[in-house]
Amino acid sequence: MAIECRERYTDYKQPYLLLLAILCCVNTLFAQSLEKDQAARERINSLNQTAKKLNSDSTAQALILGHEAYLLAVKENDKLLQAQTMLTLSEGYLYDDSYDMALQYAYDALDIFQSLKDQAGIADAYTLLGWLFYDTENPILSMDYHQKA
């Protein structure tokens, strides 16, 4: 009877050990994936911060960094970071006097912020749109967007 019980216990033990091993592997892979995602987000934020600092003085370099950040945000499929990066690019194009590009990125960012219901992002986009219309000498739209912000 004891041998029979031990054999049954051993038979049940093997699948559980296999399941435990699989769970450990999945957990390790998941942890590595989270670390990779966090590193990518930190890189995107760093690129955006540097681009913002360079926007007024070294616009070409800022736009290069902004586009790199945008490509990483798309690769990570992070809509919030994409929108934030679009605002950085829009500001760079504003300083570069490329108003069509600046407006395009600002409106695209606004659309994403609205879909995410990110009130701070919406306000930032409205503020930037206000400055874009101010620079293009459209005081009515400038005032409208600044009031919305």
Side-chain angles (χ1 to χ4, degrees), residues 95-112:
Y95 279 108
D96 195 44
D97 297 330
S98 300
Y99 298 112
D100 289 342
M101 293 295 291
L103 283 170
Q104 183 64 48
Y105 277 109
Y107 279 124
D108 288 347
L110 178 60
D111 287 343
I112 293 172

Side-chain angles (χ1 to χ4, degrees), residues 63-149:
L63 289 171
I64 289 169
L65 295 176
H67 281 285
E68 183 180 343
Y70 179 71
L71 291 174
L72 283 172
V74 169
K75 182 179 176 187
E76 291 299 312
N77 198 27
D78 189 318
K79 293 292 185 189
L80 180 61
L81 285 176
Q82 287 175 32
Q84 291 169 345
T85 301
M86 286 177 183
L87 281 185
T88 301
L89 284 167
S90 178
E91 185 179 332
Y93 283 114
L94 169 63
Y95 279 108
D96 195 44
D97 297 330
S98 300
Y99 298 112
D100 289 342
M101 293 295 291
L103 283 170
Q104 183 64 48
Y105 277 109
Y107 279 124
D108 288 347
L110 178 60
D111 287 343
I112 293 172
F113 285 131
Q114 287 174 332
S115 72
L116 297 173
K117 296 179 178 29
D118 182 322
Q119 296 303 314
I122 292 169
D124 289 342
Y126 281 151
T127 301
L128 186 56
L129 284 164
W131 286 117
L132 280 162
F133 285 111
Y134 176 83
D135 273 18
T136 57
E137 299 179 7
N138 189 331
I140 294 171
L141 284 176
S142 176
M143 182 64 75
D144 183 44
Y145 279 111
H146 277 109
Q147 287 176 340
K148 287 180 179 180

